[in-house]
PDB file of all heavy atoms in Angstrom:
ATOM      1  N   ASP L  18       0.856  -1.194   0.000  1.00 93.00           N
ATOM      2  CA  ASP L  18       0.000   0.000   0.000  1.00 93.00           C
ATOM      3  C   ASP L  18       0.887   1.237   0.000  1.00 93.00           C
ATOM      4  O   ASP L  18       0.906   2.020   0.956  1.00 93.00           O
ATOM      5  CB  ASP L  18      -0.932  -0.018   1.215  1.00 93.00           C
ATOM      6  CG  ASP L  18      -2.008   1.059   1.112  1.00 93.00           C
ATOM      7  OD1 ASP L  18      -2.218   1.573  -0.002  1.00 93.00           O
ATOM      8  OD2 ASP L  18      -2.620   1.380   2.151  1.00 93.00           O
ATOM      9  N   ILE L  19       1.640   1.394  -1.077  1.00 98.00           N
ATOM     10  CA  ILE L  19       2.592   2.498  -1.207  1.00 98.00           C
ATOM     11  C   ILE L  19       2.007   3.516  -2.180  1.00 98.00           C
ATOM     12  O   ILE L  19       1.832   3.219  -3.370  1.00 98.00           O
ATOM     13  CB  ILE L  19       3.960   1.991  -1.693  1.00 98.00           C
ATOM     14  CG1 ILE L  19       4.528   0.980  -0.685  1.00 98.00           C
ATOM     15  CG2 ILE L  19       4.931   3.145  -1.887  1.00 98.00           C
ATOM     16  CD1 ILE L  19       5.820   0.329  -1.121  1.00 98.00           C
ATOM     17  N   THR L  20       1.684   4.682  -1.694  1.00 98.00           N
ATOM     18  CA  THR L  20       1.015   5.690  -2.509  1.00 98.00           C
ATOM     19  C   THR L  20       2.026   6.610  -3.175  1.00 98.00           C
ATOM     20  O   THR L  20       3.191   6.690  -2.785  1.00 98.00           O
ATOM     21  CB  THR L  20       0.040   6.511  -1.658  1.00 98.00           C
ATOM     22  OG1 THR L  20       0.781   7.167  -0.614  1.00 98.00           O
ATOM     23  CG2 THR L  20      -1.029   5.636  -1.040  1.00 98.00           C
ATOM     24  N   GLY L  21       1.543   7.319  -4.198  1.00 97.00           N
ATOM     25  CA  GLY L  21       2.376   8.241  -4.944  1.00 97.00           C
ATOM     26  C   GLY L  21       2.330   7.926  -6.421  1.00 97.00           C
ATOM     27  O   GLY L  21       1.444   7.198  -6.897  1.00 97.00           O
ATOM     28  N   THR L  22       3.297   8.441  -7.156  1.00 97.00           N
ATOM     29  CA  THR L  22       3.322   8.211  -8.604  1.00 97.00           C
ATOM     30  C   THR L  22       4.744   8.328  -9.130  1.00 97.00           C
ATOM     31  O   THR L  22       5.555   9.068  -8.584  1.00 97.00           O
ATOM     32  CB  THR L  22       2.425   9.219  -9.331  1.00 97.00           C
ATOM     33  OG1 THR L  22       2.481   8.972 -10.745  1.00 97.00           O
ATOM     34  CG2 THR L  22       2.886  10.652  -9.075  1.00 97.00           C
ATOM     35  N   ASN L  23       5.025   7.573 -10.166  1.00 97.00           N
ATOM     36  CA  ASN L  23       6.261   7.753 -10.932  1.00 97.00           C
ATOM     37  C   ASN L  23       5.914   8.200 -12.349  1.00 97.00           C
ATOM     38  O   ASN L  23       6.741   8.146 -13.251  1.00 97.00           O
ATOM     39  CB  ASN L  23       7.068   6.452 -10.970  1.00 97.00           C
ATOM     40  CG  ASN L  23       6.359   5.352 -11.748  1.00 97.00           C
ATOM     41  OD1 ASN L  23       5.170   5.441 -12.046  1.00 97.00           O
ATOM     42  ND2 ASN L  23       7.087   4.282 -12.067  1.00 97.00           N
ATOM     43  N   GLY L  24       4.699   8.655 -12.538  1.00 96.00           N
ATOM     44  CA  GLY L  24       4.133   8.922 -13.859  1.00 96.00           C
ATOM     45  C   GLY L  24       2.957   8.017 -14.132  1.00 96.00           C
ATOM     46  O   GLY L  24       2.119   8.291 -14.983  1.00 96.00           O
ATOM     47  N   ASN L  25       2.891   6.903 -13.395  1.00 97.00           N
ATOM     48  CA  ASN L  25       1.745   5.990 -13.386  1.00 97.00           C
ATOM     49  C   ASN L  25       1.052   6.113 -12.033  1.00 97.00           C
ATOM     50  O   ASN L  25       1.698   6.419 -11.028  1.00 97.00           O
ATOM     51  CB  ASN L  25       2.207   4.540 -13.559  1.00 97.00           C
ATOM     52  CG  ASN L  25       2.835   4.269 -14.897  1.00 97.00           C
ATOM     53  OD1 ASN L  25       2.296   4.626 -15.928  1.00 97.00           O
ATOM     54  ND2 ASN L  25       4.000   3.619 -14.876  1.00 97.00           N
ATOM     55  N   PRO L  26      -0.251   5.839 -11.976  1.00 97.00           N
ATOM     56  CA  PRO L  26      -0.924   5.838 -10.677  1.00 97.00           C
ATOM     57  C   PRO L  26      -0.543   4.621  -9.848  1.00 97.00           C
ATOM     58  O   PRO L  26      -0.328   3.532 -10.375  1.00 97.00           O
ATOM     59  CB  PRO L  26      -2.411   5.818 -11.041  1.00 97.00           C
ATOM     60  CG  PRO L  26      -2.469   5.242 -12.413  1.00 97.00           C
ATOM     61  CD  PRO L  26      -1.195   5.643 -13.097  1.00 97.00           C
ATOM     62  N   SER L  27      -0.424   4.818  -8.549  1.00 97.00           N
ATOM     63  CA  SER L  27      -0.153   3.690  -7.655  1.00 97.00           C
ATOM     64  C   SER L  27      -1.442   2.920  -7.403  1.00 97.00           C
ATOM     65  O   SER L  27      -2.551   3.413  -7.646  1.00 97.00           O
ATOM     66  CB  SER L  27       0.438   4.183  -6.343  1.00 97.00           C
ATOM     67  OG  SER L  27      -0.450   5.054  -5.682  1.00 97.00           O
ATOM     68  N   ALA L  28      -1.302   1.705  -6.911  1.00 97.00           N
ATOM     69  CA  ALA L  28      -2.452   0.845  -6.608  1.00 97.00           C
ATOM     70  C   ALA L  28      -2.010  -0.183  -5.585  1.00 97.00           C
ATOM     71  O   ALA L  28      -0.817  -0.508  -5.488  1.00 97.00           O
ATOM     72  CB  ALA L  28      -2.961   0.148  -7.878  1.00 97.00           C
ATOM     73  N   PRO L  29      -2.935  -0.740  -4.808  1.00 96.00           N
ATOM     74  CA  PRO L  29      -2.567  -1.805  -3.861  1.00 96.00           C
ATOM     75  C   PRO L  29      -2.189  -3.090  -4.596  1.00 96.00           C
ATOM     76  O   PRO L  29      -2.542  -3.294  -5.760  1.00 96.00           O
ATOM     77  CB  PRO L  29      -3.839  -1.991  -3.034  1.00 96.00           C
ATOM     78  CG  PRO L  29      -4.942  -1.494  -3.911  1.00 96.00           C
ATOM     79  CD  PRO L  29      -4.357  -0.382  -4.714  1.00 96.00           C
ATOM     80  N   ASN L  30      -1.463  -3.935  -3.914  1.00 97.00           N
ATOM     81  CA  ASN L  30      -1.051  -5.271  -4.385  1.00 97.00           C
ATOM     82  C   ASN L  30       0.075  -5.240  -5.416  1.00 97.00           C
ATOM     83  O   ASN L  30       1.099  -5.869  -5.236  1.00 97.00           O
ATOM     84  CB  ASN L  30      -2.229  -6.078  -4.912  1.00 97.00           C
ATOM     85  CG  ASN L  30      -3.242  -6.396  -3.834  1.00 97.00           C
ATOM     86  OD1 ASN L  30      -2.991  -6.212  -2.641  1.00 97.00           O
ATOM     87  ND2 ASN L  30      -4.410  -6.868  -4.240  1.00 97.00           N
ATOM     88  N   TRP L  31      -0.120  -4.559  -6.538  1.00 98.00           N
ATOM     89  CA  TRP L  31       0.948  -4.393  -7.535  1.00 98.00           C
ATOM     90  C   TRP L  31       0.657  -3.154  -8.356  1.00 98.00           C
ATOM     91  O   TRP L  31      -0.505  -2.863  -8.677  1.00 98.00           O
ATOM     92  CB  TRP L  31       1.044  -5.606  -8.473  1.00 98.00           C
ATOM     93  CG  TRP L  31       2.173  -5.450  -9.468  1.00 98.00           C
ATOM     94  CD1 TRP L  31       3.460  -5.866  -9.317  1.00 98.00           C
ATOM     95  CD2 TRP L  31       2.122  -4.784 -10.744  1.00 98.00           C
ATOM     96  NE1 TRP L  31       4.218  -5.503 -10.414  1.00 98.00           N
ATOM     97  CE2 TRP L  31       3.408  -4.831 -11.303  1.00 98.00           C
ATOM     98  CE3 TRP L  31       1.120  -4.132 -11.464  1.00 98.00           C
ATOM     99  CZ2 TRP L  31       3.722  -4.292 -12.550  1.00 98.00           C
ATOM    100  CZ3 TRP L  31       1.419  -3.576 -12.701  1.00 98.00           C
ATOM    101  CH2 TRP L  31       2.712  -3.664 -13.244  1.00 98.00           C
ATOM    102  N   ASP L  32       1.712  -2.454  -8.715  1.00 98.00           N
ATOM    103  CA  ASP L  32       1.586  -1.345  -9.664  1.00 98.00           C
ATOM    104  C   ASP L  32       2.939  -1.126 -10.348  1.00 98.00           C
ATOM    105  O   ASP L  32       3.966  -1.642  -9.887  1.00 98.00           O
ATOM    106  CB  ASP L  32       1.098  -0.057  -8.977  1.00 98.00           C
ATOM    107  CG  ASP L  32       1.999   0.416  -7.860  1.00 98.00           C
ATOM    108  OD1 ASP L  32       3.237   0.345  -8.009  1.00 98.00           O
ATOM    109  OD2 ASP L  32       1.482   0.876  -6.824  1.00 98.00           O
ATOM    110  N   PRO L  33       2.948  -0.390 -11.489  1.00 98.00           N
ATOM    111  CA  PRO L  33       4.197  -0.128 -12.191  1.00 98.00           C
ATOM    112  C   PRO L  33       4.961   1.051 -11.594  1.00 98.00           C
ATOM    113  O   PRO L  33       5.657   1.777 -12.316  1.00 98.00           O
ATOM    114  CB  PRO L  33       3.726   0.157 -13.624  1.00 98.00           C
ATOM    115  CG  PRO L  33       2.370   0.751 -13.453  1.00 98.00           C
ATOM    116  CD  PRO L  33       1.772   0.075 -12.247  1.00 98.00           C
ATOM    117  N   CYS L  34       4.824   1.241 -10.287  1.00 98.00           N
ATOM    118  CA  CYS L  34       5.593   2.239  -9.535  1.00 98.00           C
ATOM    119  C   CYS L  34       6.572   1.542  -8.603  1.00 98.00           C
ATOM    120  O   CYS L  34       7.771   1.828  -8.628  1.00 98.00           O
ATOM    121  CB  CYS L  34       4.674   3.140  -8.721  1.00 98.00           C
ATOM    122  SG  CYS L  34       3.360   3.965  -9.630  1.00 98.00           S
ATOM    123  N   THR L  35       6.041   0.623  -7.797  1.00 98.00           N
ATOM    124  CA  THR L  35       6.886  -0.122  -6.854  1.00 98.00           C
ATOM    125  C   THR L  35       6.673  -1.629  -6.932  1.00 98.00           C
ATOM    126  O   THR L  35       7.130  -2.374  -6.081  1.00 98.00           O
ATOM    127  CB  THR L  35       6.642   0.359  -5.404  1.00 98.00           C
ATOM    128  OG1 THR L  35       5.253   0.177  -5.069  1.00 98.00           O
ATOM    129  CG2 THR L  35       7.007   1.826  -5.239  1.00 98.00           C
ATOM    130  N   GLY L  36       5.956  -2.098  -7.940  1.00 98.00           N
ATOM    131  CA  GLY L  36       5.748  -3.524  -8.107  1.00 98.00           C
ATOM    132  C   GLY L  36       4.890  -4.111  -6.996  1.00 98.00           C
ATOM    133  O   GLY L  36       3.853  -3.548  -6.642  1.00 98.00           O
ATOM    134  N   LEU L  37       5.329  -5.225  -6.453  1.00 98.00           N
ATOM    135  CA  LEU L  37       4.604  -5.878  -5.361  1.00 98.00           C
ATOM    136  C   LEU L  37       4.732  -5.107  -4.050  1.00 98.00           C
ATOM    137  O   LEU L  37       4.032  -5.403  -3.083  1.00 98.00           O
ATOM    138  CB  LEU L  37       5.141  -7.294  -5.160  1.00 98.00           C
ATOM    139  CG  LEU L  37       4.911  -8.255  -6.334  1.00 98.00           C
ATOM    140  CD1 LEU L  37       5.826  -9.477  -6.196  1.00 98.00           C
ATOM    141  CD2 LEU L  37       3.458  -8.685  -6.419  1.00 98.00           C
ATOM    142  N   GLY L  38       5.633  -4.128  -4.020  1.00 98.00           N
ATOM    143  CA  GLY L  38       5.863  -3.315  -2.838  1.00 98.00           C
ATOM    144  C   GLY L  38       7.258  -3.529  -2.281  1.00 98.00           C
ATOM    145  O   GLY L  38       8.133  -4.103  -2.935  1.00 98.00           O
ATOM    146  N   SER L  39       7.457  -3.062  -1.066  1.00 98.00           N
ATOM    147  CA  SER L  39       8.727  -3.268  -0.372  1.00 98.00           C
ATOM    148  C   SER L  39       8.608  -4.493   0.532  1.00 98.00           C
ATOM    149  O   SER L  39       7.518  -4.871   0.932  1.00 98.00           O
ATOM    150  CB  SER L  39       9.099  -2.022   0.434  1.00 98.00           C
ATOM    151  OG  SER L  39       8.136  -1.780   1.449  1.00 98.00           O
ATOM    152  N   PRO L  40       9.735  -5.119   0.862  1.00 98.00           N
ATOM    153  CA  PRO L  40       9.658  -6.411   1.561  1.00 98.00           C
ATOM    154  C   PRO L  40       9.522  -6.291   3.073  1.00 98.00           C
ATOM    155  O   PRO L  40      10.054  -5.379   3.702  1.00 98.00           O
ATOM    156  CB  PRO L  40      11.005  -7.053   1.213  1.00 98.00           C
ATOM    157  CG  PRO L  40      11.928  -5.875   1.087  1.00 98.00           C
ATOM    158  CD  PRO L  40      11.106  -4.784   0.462  1.00 98.00           C
ATOM    159  N   ASN L  41       8.813  -7.241   3.625  1.00 98.00           N
ATOM    160  CA  ASN L  41       8.894  -7.563   5.049  1.00 98.00           C
ATOM    161  C   ASN L  41       9.652  -8.877   5.112  1.00 98.00           C
ATOM    162  O   ASN L  41       9.088  -9.940   4.842  1.00 98.00           O
ATOM    163  CB  ASN L  41       7.498  -7.702   5.656  1.00 98.00           C
ATOM    164  CG  ASN L  41       7.519  -8.078   7.120  1.00 98.00           C
ATOM    165  OD1 ASN L  41       8.346  -8.865   7.562  1.00 98.00           O
ATOM    166  ND2 ASN L  41       6.604  -7.516   7.886  1.00 98.00           N
ATOM    167  N   GLY L  42      10.936  -8.798   5.413  1.00 98.00           N
ATOM    168  CA  GLY L  42      11.809  -9.939   5.231  1.00 98.00           C
ATOM    169  C   GLY L  42      11.396 -11.179   5.989  1.00 98.00           C
ATOM    170  O   GLY L  42      11.408 -12.289   5.438  1.00 98.00           O
ATOM    171  N   MET L  43      11.018 -11.040   7.252  1.00 98.00           N
ATOM    172  CA  MET L  43      10.661 -12.214   8.051  1.00 98.00           C
ATOM    173  C   MET L  43       9.351 -12.831   7.582  1.00 98.00           C
ATOM    174  O   MET L  43       9.221 -14.065   7.521  1.00 98.00           O
ATOM    175  CB  MET L  43      10.587 -11.840   9.533  1.00 98.00           C
ATOM    176  CG  MET L  43      11.943 -11.593  10.165  1.00 98.00           C
ATOM    177  SD  MET L  43      13.079 -13.000  10.013  1.00 98.00           S
ATOM    178  CE  MET L  43      12.168 -14.289  10.889  1.00 98.00           C
ATOM    179  N   ALA L  44       8.384 -12.002   7.238  1.00 98.00           N
ATOM    180  CA  ALA L  44       7.120 -12.539   6.718  1.00 98.00           C
ATOM    181  C   ALA L  44       7.343 -13.222   5.380  1.00 98.00           C
ATOM    182  O   ALA L  44       6.752 -14.284   5.096  1.00 98.00           O
ATOM    183  CB  ALA L  44       6.083 -11.424   6.585  1.00 98.00           C
ATOM    184  N   LEU L  45       8.190 -12.642   4.539  1.00 98.00           N
ATOM    185  CA  LEU L  45       8.521 -13.260   3.257  1.00 98.00           C
ATOM    186  C   LEU L  45       9.179 -14.611   3.478  1.00 98.00           C
ATOM    187  O   LEU L  45       8.839 -15.598   2.806  1.00 98.00           O
ATOM    188  CB  LEU L  45       9.429 -12.322   2.454  1.00 98.00           C
ATOM    189  CG  LEU L  45       9.941 -12.826   1.108  1.00 98.00           C
ATOM    190  CD1 LEU L  45       8.800 -13.226   0.182  1.00 98.00           C
ATOM    191  CD2 LEU L  45      10.822 -11.763   0.444  1.00 98.00           C
ATOM    192  N   LEU L  46      10.106 -14.675   4.431  1.00 98.00           N
ATOM    193  CA  LEU L  46      10.764 -15.941   4.739  1.00 98.00           C
ATOM    194  C   LEU L  46       9.745 -16.997   5.170  1.00 98.00           C
ATOM    195  O   LEU L  46       9.768 -18.139   4.675  1.00 98.00           O
ATOM    196  CB  LEU L  46      11.802 -15.730   5.846  1.00 98.00           C
ATOM    197  CG  LEU L  46      12.475 -16.986   6.388  1.00 98.00           C
ATOM    198  CD1 LEU L  46      13.263 -17.704   5.300  1.00 98.00           C
ATOM    199  CD2 LEU L  46      13.382 -16.620   7.566  1.00 98.00           C
ATOM    200  N   ASP L  47       8.847 -16.639   6.057  1.00 98.00           N
ATOM    201  CA  ASP L  47       7.851 -17.598   6.548  1.00 98.00           C
ATOM    202  C   ASP L  47       6.967 -18.111   5.423  1.00 98.00           C
ATOM    203  O   ASP L  47       6.678 -19.318   5.343  1.00 98.00           O
ATOM    204  CB  ASP L  47       6.989 -16.952   7.631  1.00 98.00           C
ATOM    205  CG  ASP L  47       7.753 -16.724   8.932  1.00 98.00           C
ATOM    206  OD1 ASP L  47       8.821 -17.341   9.106  1.00 98.00           O
ATOM    207  OD2 ASP L  47       7.292 -15.903   9.755  1.00 98.00           O
ATOM    208  N   LEU L  48       6.552 -17.214   4.532  1.00 98.00           N
ATOM    209  CA  LEU L  48       5.677 -17.618   3.433  1.00 98.00           C
ATOM    210  C   LEU L  48       6.426 -18.469   2.403  1.00 98.00           C
ATOM    211  O   LEU L  48       5.855 -19.406   1.842  1.00 98.00           O
ATOM    212  CB  LEU L  48       5.042 -16.393   2.780  1.00 98.00           C
ATOM    213  CG  LEU L  48       3.958 -15.726   3.633  1.00 98.00           C
ATOM    214  CD1 LEU L  48       3.582 -14.357   3.062  1.00 98.00           C
ATOM    215  CD2 LEU L  48       2.714 -16.616   3.712  1.00 98.00           C
TER     216      LEU L  48
END
């Protein structure tokens, strides 16, 4: 849920601004 723009509109889950988002390393490891 990273808001803002790089020229494209942001959106939850995935967008062409930050992709899937930034990582939560421990949660990523568990999953």
Side-chain angles (χ1 to χ4, degrees):
D18 191 17
I19 300 175
T20 60
T22 180
N23 66 346
N25 295 312
S27 60
N30 295 348
W31 182 91
D32 59 40
C34 306
T35 59
L37 295 163
S39 63
N41 178 322
M43 288 303 300
L45 177 56
L46 174 62
D47 289 343
L48 287 168

